[in-house]
Amino acid sequence: MDTSLFTRQSEYEWRIESTGKMRVPAIIYASEALLREMDHKVYEQITNVTTLPGIEKAAYAMPDAHWGYGFPIGGVAAFDADRGGVISAGGVGFDISCGVRNLLTGLTAADIIPVQKKLADALYDKIPAGMGSTGHLSLNSTEMDAMLSGGARWAVERGYGTVEDLEHTEERGCMAGAQPEQVSDHAKKRQRDEMGTLGSGNHYLEIQRVAEIFDANTANAFGLHTDNIVVSIHCGSRGLGHQIGTEFLRTMAIAAAEYGIDLPDRELACAPIHSPLGQDYLGAMRAAINCALANRQIITHLVRQVFAAFFPQAELRLLYDVSHNTCKVEEHIINGTLKRLYIHRKGATRAFGPGHPDIPQAFRAIGQPVLIGGTMGTSSYILVGTSEGMARSFGSACHGAGRSMSRHQATRQWWGHTLVDELAHQGILIRSPSLRGIAEEAPGAYKDVSAVVDAADQGKLARKVAKLVPLICIKG
Amino acid sequence: MQTTINRWEHFPHQADIGVRGIGSSKEKAFEQAAIALIAVITDPQLISPEIAVTISCQAPDSELLFVDWLNALIYEIATRKMLFSRFEVIIKNSRVEATAWGEKIQTSKHKPAVEVKGATYTDLHVRQEENGAWIAQCVVDV
């Protein structure tokens, strides 16, 4: 991207001044190197977002931003319902509430290495991954609605996990305001057999080792110690979220004209928050958030069962669970006034600073754990939310590495087999139903996650706490 | 026009992938794009066209109809746990009436690389070229 298009506010902050139809400026947080590598589409898309009604302060793009649908992936925007603000199905995306949760195991790498291969096989055997896989339970319509209302709480009530898990999940495991009746029969049918499945694409389950600690006090508070083993689960609301996204995107794209909204891109499909359609989507989207929370909770239970067979003494505690494709109502200070805003995060992680009431009691004085997924075979990071981040990006940070290369290019450049062998040589075991899927997700097809995380840290969106490296990766 | 014009291809999108059907008619372009969609998941030649499934959808314009067609197909793939390799599309009054032939997904046989979440409005076009060929394309989210 051409850096002359921006006003450089600081080393990591690049501003697009408000002109033409833009209602507010746009700001990209990135190092100069990351910005130069970004596709120009990010500029177009984040600028388009600023034209939507009721947008507050600025539209933001995180350091991992890349070309998305309507919103760039890595986009953050806030809307005031009382100023005609909108809710956008495109601003949330297809994989509603896709997110990451980390489990602390109390084990060390020395415990894992002797059983690494058997553990990889057992996890791959137990956790349904990849296209066409089905979960261990099938939901009838009553249970489907209970799940969509209850989220991870529903799962815990049915024996998948503990009450302590809920305290360490965003929204305490249950998104309020979900309306299962706004979720179509098609979406429910698509989900019926998919509870407790990983999915495919960039979704994964990893066994990771804490390789480096950057902030000893915070790491200690989070229960992270060098050489400890952490389980990381990355997946979302599965077919249900995809179907809700598909249906509301269409309805909103058609209805926008009726609401007098001039869409610069059909994919920015949205509706006023104070409209029947806006409210219907909110109810359905919140149900999909619960679906994602329940899904990750069930997978957590399956992981615990596998670990219990290898390490009967191990207790897998949930560190935290964050979602990165959502729209949530939050309070933020704009020009000295506390406002209730609808915060869209499309491929961006919530990163609340110290003292926020939504942070679990155990971390409230420190800040929210911010879980950043890496790519297969590269590092993942744990950061912590900061007070500066609350002011700079509505308490948001990056969500991962972000692709730098298309799937097509990746398959031309790498062979799945070679990648599996190379990673095995580095001590990382990959299990996946598809070699082509592995090639498409090659680490080299993504930006350098370390550079992205450094930009989030240096740009003061969130602070680095620990770096994790994989030992086992189950790919969908 | 020669039927050999009918073909499909993929085009790049940074995070995902674009599917493009090219055909001697709008119907043929829709059929070819469906094969392109399947090819995102697996090699269409690995799929036996054993079971027929009927699919229909309706939309206010050709482009929305195309996205609806692909999304209807994605829905059938997801809920029937099937993959398809042969398509017959009829378009009348902005309505698709189609038959898709395929079989149940077998991981060992088809080795699906990725599942498709939905068809998008990105790089969406349905149009007739100067040479008479029809093109139907969009990016799909995987």
Side-chain angles (χ1 to χ4, degrees):
Chain A
M1 193 133 62
D2 179 2
T3 56
S4 70
L5 296 167
F6 298 85
T7 309
R8 192 172 194 168
Q9 301 285 103
S10 68
E11 201 179 343
Y12 292 91
E13 186 178 341
W14 307 79
R15 184 183 168 99
I16 306 167
E17 302 298 343
S18 176
T19 55
K21 288 184 174 174
M22 291 172 71
R23 295 167 194 258
V24 292
I27 290 169
I28 299 182
Y29 290 106
S31 64
E32 187 169 344
L34 285 170
L35 188 76
R36 283 186 186 282
E37 282 171 23
M38 268 180 209
D39 195 290
H40 186 74
K41 285 274 183 189
V42 175
Y43 179 96
E44 269 174 39
Q45 291 189 327
I46 201 68
T47 304
N48 284 344
V49 172
T50 67
T51 67
L52 294 177
I55 188 165
E56 284 282 350
K57 201 172 170 187
Y60 299 97
M62 301 293 110
D64 52 339
H66 57 281
W67 179 16
Y69 306 107
F71 272 58
I73 294 160
V76 177
F79 296 87
D80 180 351
D82 296 335
R83 288 201 312 114
V86 294
I87 179 157
S88 169
V92 172
F94 284 94
D95 200 358
I96 299 168
S97 201
C98 181
V100 180
R101 68 162 52 189
N102 281 352
L103 306 169
L104 306 170
T105 67
L107 300 165
T108 65
D111 297 316
I112 298 293
I113 301 298
V115 295
Q116 190 182 2
K117 195 172 168 301
K118 281 186 178 162
L119 183 61
D121 292 336
L123 287 166
Y124 184 55
D125 188 50
K126 185 80 172 180
I127 290 134
M131 190 190 171
S133 56
T134 51
H136 298 259
L137 71 165
S138 180
L139 301 186
N140 62 28
S141 67
T142 312
E143 275 298 275
M144 177 65 72
D145 285 0
M147 181 276 287
L148 293 174
S149 299
R153 191 176 297 165
W154 167 87
V156 166
E157 282 166 3
R158 275 144 191 83
Y160 300 102
T162 67
V163 175
E164 290 73 34
D165 294 340
L166 300 177
E167 170 68 11
H168 285 234
T169 304
E170 271 184 348
E171 317 304 335
R172 305 284 185 283
C174 176
M175 185 73 223
Q179 293 179 289
E181 67 275 18
Q182 296 303 339
V183 178
S184 71
D185 289 342
H186 268 50
K188 289 174 181 173
K189 193 174 169 195
R190 221 169 139 175
Q191 190 59 28
R192 203 170 51 192
D193 301 319
E194 292 201 351
M195 293 309 296
T197 62
L198 262 186
S200 68
N202 62 356
H203 296 152
Y204 61 77
L205 183 148
E206 281 193 348
I207 307 303
Q208 303 165 334
R209 179 176 69 85
V210 179
E212 203 175 342
I213 300 277
F214 306 102
D215 174 346
N217 286 340
T218 307
N220 201 38
F222 286 174
L224 296 163
H225 308 284
T226 307
D227 218 35
N228 270 187
I229 296 298
V230 172
V231 181
S232 184
I233 299 165
H234 177 214
C235 61
S237 51
R238 310 291 300 110
L240 181 122
H242 309 165
Q243 191 67 27
I244 291 172
T246 297
E247 291 169 5
F248 277 93
L249 201 66
R250 184 184 195 275
T251 313
M252 285 179 170
I254 293 171
E258 283 171 38
Y259 290 119
I261 300 169
D262 179 18
L263 290 179
D265 173 352
R266 231 183 323 197
E267 208 78 43
L268 274 177
C270 58
I273 296 159
H274 288 322
S275 72
L277 178 55
Q279 290 299 310
D280 289 354
Y281 176 67
L282 263 174
M285 190 249 333
R286 287 168 174 163
I289 291 177
N290 280 332
C291 178
L293 296 177
N295 194 41
R296 291 196 286 273
Q297 188 63 45
I298 292 170
I299 293 174
T300 300
H301 178 72
L302 300 176
V303 171
R304 283 175 175 152
Q305 285 184 330
V306 172
F307 269 71
F310 287 85
F311 310 102
Q313 311 301 326
E315 202 184 319
L316 273 59
R317 277 194 303 123
L318 180 56
L319 168 61
Y320 205 51
D321 178 303
V322 293
S323 297
H324 47 231
N325 288 348
T326 58
C327 175
K328 290 188 173 175
V329 182
E330 297 172 7
E331 288 183 335
H332 290 274
I333 297 165
I334 309 283
N335 298 327
T337 311
L338 189 67
K339 284 192 137 187
R340 202 165 166 268
L341 300 172
Y342 288 72
I343 311 289
H344 291 65
R345 293 189 182 88
K346 171 76 192 83
T349 310
R350 186 146 93 174
F352 281 167
H356 198 287
D358 287 354
I359 302 176
Q361 194 64 52
F363 315 133
R364 197 165 298 163
I366 302 157
Q368 179 213 305
V370 180
L371 314 176
I372 310 297
T375 60
M376 181 180 58
T378 65
S379 316
S380 293
Y381 285 85
I382 295 175
L383 286 75
V384 62
T386 62
S387 305
E388 294 103 309
M390 295 304 287
R392 291 173 74 76
S393 58
F394 297 114
S396 311
C398 55
H399 85 307
R403 283 193 88 94
S404 64
M405 191 184 284
S406 72
R407 290 176 177 278
H408 192 63
Q409 269 177 294
T411 49
R412 293 173 76 159
Q413 202 151 334
W414 291 283
W415 286 100
H417 244 307
T418 322
L419 276 172
V420 170
D421 290 347
E422 279 173 12
L423 290 168
H425 193 67
Q426 295 169 36
I428 304 164
L429 300 184
I430 310 289
R431 295 288 183 273
S432 171
S434 165
L435 287 169
R436 192 179 111 194
I438 290 171
E440 289 183 4
E441 290 293 325
Y446 282 82
K447 292 176 195 180
D448 175 7
V449 67
S450 301
V452 165
V453 166
D454 282 346
D457 178 286
Q458 298 292 315
K460 300 196 183 305
L461 305 177
R463 194 173 69 245
K464 279 203 296 188
V465 176
K467 175 182 172 175
L468 315 169
V469 296
L471 292 172
I472 296 170
C473 175
I474 312 294
K475 284 298 281 186
Chain B
M1 191 178 296
Q2 297 294 309
T3 51
T4 47
I5 201 170
N6 299 330
R7 63 191 168 89
W8 61 267
E9 60 193 24
H10 291 150
F11 61 93
H13 175 278
Q14 197 176 20
D16 294 301
I17 194 161
V19 297
R20 179 181 292 141
I22 301 154
S24 55
S25 63
K26 201 193 283 182
E27 283 89 347
K28 291 290 171 210
F30 275 41
E31 289 171 7
Q32 290 295 319
I35 301 174
L37 177 91
I38 296 295
V40 171
I41 304 164
T42 188
D43 179 355
Q45 295 185 23
L46 296 175
I47 305 160
S48 310
E50 288 166 5
I51 307 165
V53 172
T54 57
I55 299 172
S56 59
C57 52
Q58 190 157 18
D61 64 56
S62 281
E63 294 192 337
L64 282 176
L65 186 65
F66 177 62
V67 172
D68 282 1
W69 154 239
L70 293 185
N71 278 325
L73 181 59
I74 290 165
Y75 176 77
E76 296 300 333
I77 292 169
T79 52
R80 292 178 191 270
K81 309 281 177 209
M82 280 182 71
L83 289 167
F84 302 94
S85 56
R86 201 184 133 212
F87 303 92
E88 223 170 75
V89 172
I90 296 167
I91 301 175
K92 241 187 221 163
N93 303 325
S94 216
R95 184 176 176 82
V96 161
E97 295 288 351
T99 308
W101 287 266
E103 64 175 328
K104 287 273 181 192
I105 297 171
Q106 298 161 54
T107 305
S108 55
K109 179 179 175 185
H110 303 120
K111 297 187 171 51
V114 74
E115 69 186 342
V116 180
K117 294 171 187 167
T120 78
Y121 302 131
T122 299
D123 278 346
L124 167 63
H125 301 291
V126 175
R127 61 165 185 258
Q128 193 171 17
E129 300 287 270
E130 279 180 6
N131 67 359
W134 280 86
I135 287 182
Q137 67 168 56
C138 73
V139 169
V140 295
D141 190 9
V142 298

